[in-house]
Amino acid sequence: MKADVAVIGAGLIGAHSAYQLVEKGLSVVLIDPGPPGGEQASSFGNASWLSSHSVLPPAYPGVWKQVPSWLTDPLGPLSVSPTYLPKALPWLLRYLASASTVGKLEVLAGHLRSLLAGAPALHAEIAANTGLSHLIDAESGLMHAYRDRAAFEADAMAWRIRRDQGIHYDTLEGEEFRARQPHVTSDYTFGVYVPEAGHCKNPGAYNAGIVANVESRGARRMAAKALNLTQSGGKVTGVETTQGHVSCDAVVIAAGARAKAFAAQAGDKVSLETERGYHVTVEGSHNMPGPATPIMVGDRKVVITRLAHGVRCAGQVEIASVDAPADWRRAEIVRKHIAAMFPELDTSEARVWMGCRPSTPDGLPVIGNASLSGVVHAYGHGHIGLVGSARTGQLVAQLVTGQAPMIDLAPFSAARFS
Ligand SMILES: Cc1cc2nc3c(=O)[nH]c(=O)nc-3n(C[C@H](O)[C@H](O)[C@H](O)COP(=O)(O)OP(=O)(O)OC[C@H]3O[C@@H](n4cnc5c(N)ncnc54)[C@H](O)[C@@H]3O)c2cc1C
């Protein structure tokens, strides 16, 4: 097979990259052994947040002090596989170092904001162009729930940094909060509402819909596993797959948590691990109890969103191999959190899922030209791969066609790990 560009991975990053490449008139082959946005992809089961205000990386100064209590709490948000710990240790140390001071956090917030500003409107525009408007609500806003004002004030640094990035938010307390979130347990009395953010109503369907759109406009999909990049004279020439060779002038690495091996073949050693996450989805009608506006519950570290087909609660960070079997006890923790937040919701029939966030230690994705000419990195979006996917697609297309990228990509370069 021959094309201008081969995209490895048809998750949201690969799909949006293919969309923008097709917009530029290039012929594209999307390589993925799984269905686009299928259960194998992190893009299938995320919390659906188009959170343009997600400018803080997961780590923060002093986070290590909380790790022992998280690990020992039976409802805690973090677990580390003991057998995988030695392998993950370098990544974990970088993770702690990347956000060890407020100053570092502020710099990372600026970089993330450059990628995410305007994301809900950009998704809405692409959804409108692809017949998927019913899946994007760019104007819902998003809410963070706290037990009380004191809990919110304990999070003051995060909100100060967001405000410094130009993010506006409103606080709601007591009756005002209850009126906006009538089904939430009365244990929570304080909310922060971010009007600029939005959400997707079914991320797997959105992913599949974008791929269907590019296929209808000539892109080809190859149900195969990419094995190796091929090269000649210091330039990429194609991709070897389980279904044969794809010859191309450019390759986009968008293989999510499995991107590291391709990055190495393209001459770049990147720090990429997976933070595995879980969801429970209670399927049912729009009338079932749930959040009126999607909410993140600060102390439980879960996000709860009403989707087109039910109510989803997602969370947990599990440091383990991408290939290790799911530990469904982590999904049960997530189920307990949604049951506690929405006591009227029957969670006994919830569907469970585990997915692999492709995560860098500093929370910034890897976007940029690789050392091997013709290869573009596009992975490592960690907790922000849905919201960041549309802009990443634009950046990928600019890199492939040799245009100046619309934002400064130096902070996102693979070179930061060397
Ligand atoms: C529980 C949870 C909640 C989340 N909530 C949010 C949220 O609310 N908002 C947000 O913005 N982000 C969220 N995220 C993060 C987001 O889902 C990810 O960052 C995003 O889906 C990553 O997209 P991707 O395309 O890079 O990877 P993926 O979606 O994982 O896709 C990678 C694709 O590459 C394919 N692939 C792998 N190896 C190969 C190979 N050798 N050859 C060919 N193809 C290959 C895979 O089959 C897969 O389809 C969440 C993640 C989780 C787990």
Side-chain angles (χ1 to χ4, degrees):
M1 197 179 279
K2 205 172 163 5
D4 293 327
V5 191
V7 179
I8 304 176
L12 278 161
I13 302 299
H16 275 283
S17 298
Y19 175 81
Q20 297 294 346
L21 291 163
V22 167
E23 286 286 294
K24 293 220 179 272
L26 296 174
S27 63
V28 174
V29 175
L30 258 171
I31 306 167
D32 198 316
E39 295 208 13
Q40 84 289 347
S42 184
S43 299
F44 168 83
N46 58 57
S48 294
W49 272 34
L50 296 174
S51 43
S52 42
H53 66 296
S54 284
V55 296
L56 292 162
Y60 51 86
V63 63
W64 57 271
K65 290 183 208 154
Q66 278 183 277
V67 169
S69 66
W70 282 342
L71 290 174
T72 50
D73 178 354
L75 291 182
L78 175 71
S79 71
V80 182
S81 156
T83 51
Y84 196 69
L85 181 60
K87 188 135 196 301
L89 198 58
W91 183 95
L92 285 165
L93 293 174
R94 273 180 188 263
Y95 171 89
L96 295 176
S98 69
S100 57
T101 66
V102 176
K104 288 184 185 178
L105 217 53
E106 288 169 336
V107 170
L108 290 171
H111 299 328
L112 281 168
R113 186 63 173 165
S114 73
L115 183 70
L116 302 183
L122 181 58
H123 280 280
E125 185 188 320
I126 293 170
N129 293 341
T130 51
L132 301 170
S133 291
H134 57 291
L135 295 177
I136 297 293
D137 184 345
E139 290 172 3
S140 62
L142 295 171
M143 196 178 280
H144 294 245
Y146 294 93
R147 287 182 189 262
D148 50 30
R149 176 175 281 278
F152 162 68
E153 283 170 357
D155 223 2
M157 179 187 65
W159 288 107
R160 196 268 299 157
I161 292 175
R162 290 188 186 108
R163 198 185 54 223
D164 289 351
Q165 290 300 326
I167 294 159
H168 172 80
Y169 59 86
D170 301 313
T171 58
L172 307 100
E173 198 166 4
E175 282 313 308
E176 209 185 346
F177 174 69
R178 185 126 318 280
R180 289 287 290 274
Q181 293 286 6
H183 298 296
V184 168
T185 168
S186 56
D187 295 346
Y188 290 76
T189 64
F190 198 96
V192 183
Y193 177 67
V194 183
E196 68 164 52
H199 73 286
C200 175
K201 295 181 188 165
N202 185 337
Y206 178 48
N207 189 157
I210 292 170
V211 173
N213 175 272
V214 295
E215 280 190 270
S216 75
R217 295 194 290 149
R220 284 163 293 165
R221 195 154 64 78
M222 198 175 186
K225 186 175 170 187
L227 300 172
N228 291 303
L229 306 182
T230 55
Q231 54 178 296
S232 173
K235 192 174 178 333
V236 77
T237 55
V239 183
E240 201 61 66
T241 83
T242 48
Q243 299 292 327
H245 187 253
V246 178
S247 300
C248 55
D249 300 323
V251 173
V252 179
I253 306 174
R258 295 181 188 273
K260 196 171 169 174
F262 297 109
Q265 289 174 31
D268 296 311
K269 190 165 184 270
V270 298
S271 184
L272 184 79
E273 287 291 341
T274 177
E275 295 174 89
R276 299 176 359 147
Y278 290 80
H279 84 210
V280 300
T281 304
V282 184
E283 294 187 342
S285 77
H286 276 278
N287 300 327
M288 65 205 288
T293 301
I295 55 168
M296 164 167 276
V297 191
D299 58 341
R300 297 176 184 274
K301 303 222 176 301
V302 292
V303 169
I304 307 173
T305 307
R306 191 184 289 277
L307 303 177
H309 55 293
V311 176
R312 172 172 295 169
C313 181
Q316 292 286 307
V317 166
E318 181 187 32
I319 307 295
S321 161
V322 273
D323 294 314
D327 177 354
W328 296 118
R329 291 173 301 180
R330 312 306 305 175
E332 176 57 13
I333 293 171
V334 175
R335 192 196 64 74
K336 284 184 175 153
H337 284 310
I338 186 175
M341 288 304 295
F342 293 98
E344 301 156 27
L345 183 69
D346 178 4
T347 61
S348 56
E349 300 288 317
R351 287 171 66 100
V352 296
W353 170 86
M354 184 277 287
C356 295
R357 297 181 190 92
S359 298
T360 61
D362 56 11
L364 300 181
V366 187
I367 307 171
N369 287 316
S371 294
L372 178 61
S373 178
V375 179
V376 171
H377 297 287
Y379 50 82
H381 292 71
H383 297 246
I384 52 127
L386 165 61
V387 58
S389 56
R391 181 78 64 220
T392 300
Q394 290 181 320
L395 292 163
V396 163
Q398 287 164 346
L399 290 167
V400 168
T401 55
Q403 283 178 277
M406 64 208 301
I407 64 167
D408 177 16
L409 284 179
F412 302 92
S413 161
R416 71 188 192 271
F417 300 115
S418 58

